[in-house]
Amino acid sequence: MKLTIPAFVGRIAFSALAALIGAIFALPLLWFLFAPFNARAELGLALPDPWTLSNFVTVFGNSYAVQALWNSFIQAVGGVILVGAAATLAAYALSRSSIPGKGAVTYILLLFSSVVSGSAAMVPIFLIISAAGLMDTHLAVILTFAGGLLPTAMFILRDFIDSIPKSYEESAMVAGASPVQAFFDVALPVIRPGIVVVVVWGFVNIWGSFLIPFILLRSDSNMPASVAIYSFYSEAGTPIVTLLAAYSLIYSLPVIALYLFVSWKFGFRFFGGIKA
Amino acid sequence: MASVEFKNVTKSFGEFTAVSDVSFDIADGEFVCLLGPSGCGKTTSLRMMAGLETPTSGHILIGGQEVTHLHPKDRNIAMVFQDYALYPHMNLADNIAYPLKVRGEPVAQRHARAKQVADVLKIGHLMDRLPSQISGGQQQRTSLARALVYPAKVYLFDEPLSNLDAKLRLEARGFLNHLQRDMGMTAVYVTHDQAEAMALATRIAVMDQGHIVQFASPIEIYRRPATTFVANFVGNPPMNLVEVEGAQVEGKLALKAEGLAIAALAMTDAIGKALAASGKLTLGVRPEHLGIAQTGATNTITAPLFANENMGPESLVTIDRGDSARVTARIFTDDHLDLSKVVTLRFSTEHVHLFDSTGKRIPALGE
Ligand SMILES: Nc1ncnc2c1ncn2[C@@H]1O[C@H](COP(=O)(O)OP(=O)(O)O)[C@@H](O)[C@H]1O
Ligand SMILES: [Mg+2]
């Protein structure tokens, strides 16, 4: 098909505009990829010359920064295990039992969940954690996130479990399995893709959070990476760009790895679309 | 194998009563079909036998033992589900062997037994496949194999063939019939397909709106349907029902309806009782008991031709008496019938059924 000249010019203008917009979004990402390997990185975008790993060497030499990554890991994994296990059991019960008003329970919890992990609840959370004597512990962060993420996790999983026929467990029970056996042998493997979604989502949430650990933790040795990033500032408050860039890249790797692993292993089809 | 007994079983879901005061006895080794239209409470009854639903009131006994509130796992029954309920993450071997696994049998033994059953059902070569990797007919046989892999007291089937296409359904039906003859299992089989019930059952329980309307052998249900509902549900096509005006004339029963010419029938006490209540009766004739006749003969029914369908060994001739009151005849001929615009169908009075104004069967002479 031949294009008329005005249409041709229009196409070119549109493509140029699209390319420009794309570039605006791509530039920070490029910086994010280049700067960690540049020993003289600044806030401007520049190709590393030469490419070097010296920034990473400095970061790994900083025991506080390394400890913080480990802390992030403990808090995220701990929170995810708690949320995953509790949400699976709760959602299963809500989906399969015939408790009257179970729908309302989920919705009310969901409503409050945005409050619990939000900044509005910071003071009560602080007071509760403090009264429980959990101040400055990993457990404080884990419990707070578990409470905040659980309702949404339950909601996602209940939807997922609702779409799985009851006849799976029923046939298992008729065949001689106890309800617990039927759950572990038949229901759990079928629900697993839903649990994976919740776990990834929970991990990303906790891994990236700043406010809650910042408030609930005191000592440097307990701080997660999201807070530790703030140690890469000079006394005067200007960022040490080289270290910041390298640390940011390391900090984002687990999340990227997690996504890749899940999409390789399970394929990412979000909430409603997940079928066993 | 064991008997099954329902004693005044009622099941309500809130206000709605799905099964209403149902009582019956299924003897050891019987193959009973629960037959009825969708929503009449067949599945609910079956699920109460399995223990997947608890009756609102009444008692259920299996092998003489009270099981009304017993958990499904403790009933030692087997069930084939309408959707097969094959575990999607297990291969066929593990699916079929699952009941043996929960019974604590070692892996080697239970897989050997699963293979044995699968071979009988001609799926033995598929044991490594997942359920999603086999055809619908094979899935159906897998679910059957899983039910047959252990000796159960009672085998329950919930429309197990309804997801198969017509040809596979006939094949599977024949196999189930063979199995029943072979094993002599006690089975309760839910279906809305009267042909399936007729072919498989030693006795059929016809259900309507939560009640059992008739519980009898297939032949009895075919020959002496208890109500117009049963008459209209069983048979292919079902029995023709003609609303007639009945009156006693000179000690005999005269029946009148548009297009109907029928000789007076012998009176009985039962007919007398029905007439005393109301003269509005229903005359029933099965399509296979109708033939083509000359206009004006007695024991005939005449109306304009509605459809003439040649099915190969037989023809279905339908006449329309107005207001969608149609009468269908099954004529056994492989010739094409050349029919005029108005057709007369004849019947013999020994093949007619009478129902009173409430739809109940009026017993014929000698019944
Ligand atoms: N769990 C339930 N809650 C409410 N109503 C139900 C439930 N199960 C079945 N019913 C109702 O009970 C009636 C009988 O259902 P069912 O036994 O499944 O019928 P059938 O198997 O004969 O088609 C239907 O009207 C159905 O809607
Ligand atoms: Mg049903």
Side-chain angles (χ1 to χ4, degrees):
Chain A
M1 196 185 86
K2 273 192 93 165
L3 285 174
T4 60
I5 292 188
F8 187 65
V9 172
R11 277 280 179 96
I12 291 202
F14 179 77
S15 301
L17 185 69
L20 185 70
I21 294 174
I24 290 174
F25 280 96
L27 285 178
L29 275 178
L30 284 177
W31 182 89
F32 181 68
L33 287 178
F34 291 156
F37 302 97
N38 189 345
R40 282 165 289 141
E42 290 172 10
L43 284 177
L45 184 62
L47 266 185
D49 180 31
W51 290 77
T52 167
L53 292 177
S54 68
N55 294 343
F56 293 95
V57 174
T58 319
V59 166
F60 282 115
N62 180 335
S63 66
Y64 170 55
V66 175
Q67 175 70 37
L69 282 170
W70 179 240
N71 292 340
S72 277
F73 186 77
I74 292 175
Q75 289 163 16
V77 169
V80 150
I81 289 174
L82 199 56
V83 169
T88 304
L89 294 176
Y92 186 73
L94 279 174
S95 171
R96 292 308 198 226
S97 68
S98 49
I99 313 161
K102 61 181 185 176
V105 171
T106 332
Y107 281 98
I108 291 172
L109 283 177
L110 193 65
L111 191 69
F112 279 107
S113 72
S114 48
V115 179
V116 169
S117 49
S119 26
M122 285 295 51
V123 173
I125 287 177
F126 184 90
L127 293 177
I128 292 171
I129 294 292
S130 172
L134 292 173
M135 240 16 217
D136 197 22
T137 60
H138 291 313
L139 195 58
V141 177
I142 290 172
L143 287 178
T144 306
F145 274 114
L149 300 179
L150 195 55
T152 314
M154 270 165 58
F155 189 74
I156 295 171
L157 273 179
R158 202 201 69 170
D159 221 38
F160 189 86
I161 298 170
D162 277 347
S163 72
I164 294 168
K166 262 187 182 170
S167 56
Y168 287 160
E169 298 110 283
E170 287 177 348
S171 75
M173 289 194 289
V174 168
S178 68
V180 174
Q181 250 174 330
F183 173 76
F184 281 106
D185 287 350
V186 176
L188 193 58
V190 179
I191 302 169
R192 203 166 47 201
I195 300 175
V196 167
V197 167
V198 163
V199 161
V200 170
W201 167 81
F203 187 92
V204 170
N205 258 287
I206 303 176
W207 187 262
S209 70
F210 174 79
L211 193 59
I212 287 174
F214 186 69
I215 290 173
L216 298 181
L217 301 175
R218 283 278 160 273
S219 50
D220 286 352
S221 61
N222 281 338
M223 288 296 177
S226 54
V227 179
I229 284 185
Y230 280 81
S231 66
F232 297 121
Y233 283 80
S234 67
E235 295 292 322
T238 51
I240 307 165
V241 174
T242 47
L243 300 188
L244 203 58
Y247 197 63
S248 301
L249 189 63
I250 297 168
Y251 175 56
S252 62
L253 283 182
V255 172
I256 295 172
L258 194 60
Y259 270 110
L260 290 179
F261 172 76
V262 168
S263 87
W264 164 66
K265 190 89 185 175
F266 297 94
F268 247 108
R269 288 150 296 173
F270 258 96
F271 308 152
I274 303 160
K275 286 277 134 66
Chain B
M1 303 295 157
S3 61
V4 180
E5 201 176 332
F6 265 43
K7 284 186 182 163
N8 307 99
V9 172
T10 295
K11 175 70 187 179
S12 306
F13 296 105
E15 291 286 287
F16 180 77
T17 304
V19 173
S20 173
D21 194 24
V22 162
S23 300
F24 57 74
D25 251 312
I26 297 172
D28 195 5
E30 265 199 293
F31 196 114
V32 167
C33 282
L34 300 183
L35 175 67
S38 178
C40 70
K42 308 179 297 286
T43 297
T44 307
S45 304
L46 199 72
R47 288 171 60 83
M48 287 192 286
M49 280 177 219
L52 298 170
E53 279 327 326
T54 310
T56 311
S57 65
H59 298 274
I60 299 174
L61 287 80
I62 294 179
Q65 181 203 357
E66 166 91 36
V67 299
T68 316
H69 296 284
L70 208 60
H71 191 272
K73 74 176 162 63
D74 301 319
R75 297 190 180 201
N76 198 16
I77 42 169
M79 182 162 173
V80 177
F81 288 73
Q82 185 169 6
D83 61 3
Y84 310 146
L86 299 177
Y87 313 133
H89 58 288
M90 294 185 195
N91 65 19
L92 293 208
D94 287 332
N95 258 290
I96 297 172
Y98 185 73
L100 303 176
K101 184 186 167 198
V102 296
R103 282 168 174 72
E105 275 204 32
V107 177
Q109 257 152 288
R110 64 183 194 242
H111 277 173
R113 171 76 187 133
K115 178 82 167 76
Q116 204 182 353
V117 177
D119 280 338
V120 175
L121 288 156
K122 301 200 177 65
I123 44 173
H125 59 296
L126 302 169
M127 298 301 264
D128 296 328
R129 303 262 191 102
L130 289 175
S132 57
Q133 296 165 333
I134 58 176
S135 73
Q138 290 164 341
Q139 289 178 358
Q140 199 278 328
R141 276 177 279 159
T142 307
S143 73
L144 189 58
R146 190 175 60 191
L148 296 176
V149 79
Y150 59 106
K153 284 185 181 163
V154 184
Y155 294 82
L156 306 177
F157 300 88
D158 190 0
E159 313 220 11
L161 309 185
S162 62
N163 290 336
L164 299 181
D165 62 45
K167 187 163 167 287
L168 277 178
R169 189 154 49 210
L170 279 186
E171 202 181 296
R173 194 177 85 185
F175 180 79
L176 280 175
N177 187 292
H178 170 79
L179 202 67
Q180 152 72 0
R181 285 168 197 287
D182 227 34
M183 294 176 53
M185 51 163 78
T186 308
V188 183
Y189 186 106
V190 162
T191 180
H192 64 264
D193 178 351
Q194 60 92 25
E196 230 167 85
M198 296 295 277
L200 290 171
T202 54
R203 277 196 299 162
I204 298 176
V206 184
M207 292 189 71
D208 182 25
Q209 294 176 23
H211 297 271
I212 290 192
V213 193
Q214 188 171 12
F215 193 13
S217 69
I219 277 298
E220 176 75 10
I221 281 183
Y222 175 78
R223 290 203 182 135
R224 285 179 279 276
T227 65
T228 49
F229 175 83
V230 178
N232 202 21
F233 205 81
V234 172
N236 182 29
M239 185 184 285
N240 297 297
L241 298 173
V242 178
E243 286 176 17
V244 295
E245 195 62 48
Q248 188 169 349
V249 178
E250 295 167 7
K252 292 203 140 196
L253 176 66
L255 298 174
K256 273 200 300 199
E258 176 73 27
L260 178 73
I262 181 171
L265 299 170
M267 275 300 288
T268 62
D269 290 349
I271 294 176
K273 268 225 279 292
L275 281 183
S278 163
K280 288 192 188 311
L281 306 179
T282 304
L283 177 75
V285 193
R286 293 215 174 266
E288 48 274 38
H289 295 145
L290 286 167
I292 307 284
Q294 301 292 320
T295 315
T298 56
N299 294 339
T300 59
I301 185 158
T302 305
L305 183 65
F306 178 76
N308 178 7
E309 302 157 274
N310 187 293
M311 320 277 288
E314 72 209 11
S315 279
L316 292 184
V317 175
T318 306
I319 58 175
D320 189 355
R321 304 175 54 249
D323 290 335
S324 300
R326 295 187 185 131
V327 173
T328 298
R330 218 168 133 191
I331 315 284
F332 294 89
T333 167
D334 47 11
D335 287 335
H336 178 71
L337 291 171
D338 195 14
L339 297 171
S340 54
K341 278 204 176 108
V342 173
V343 172
T344 299
L345 300 173
R346 74 176 150 69
F347 52 86
S348 142
T349 47
E350 66 192 274
H351 283 137
V352 300
H353 306 253
L354 273 180
F355 303 92
D356 68 18
S357 57
T358 62
K360 268 218 191 68
R361 176 182 188 80
I362 303 173
L365 258 184
E367 264 181 31

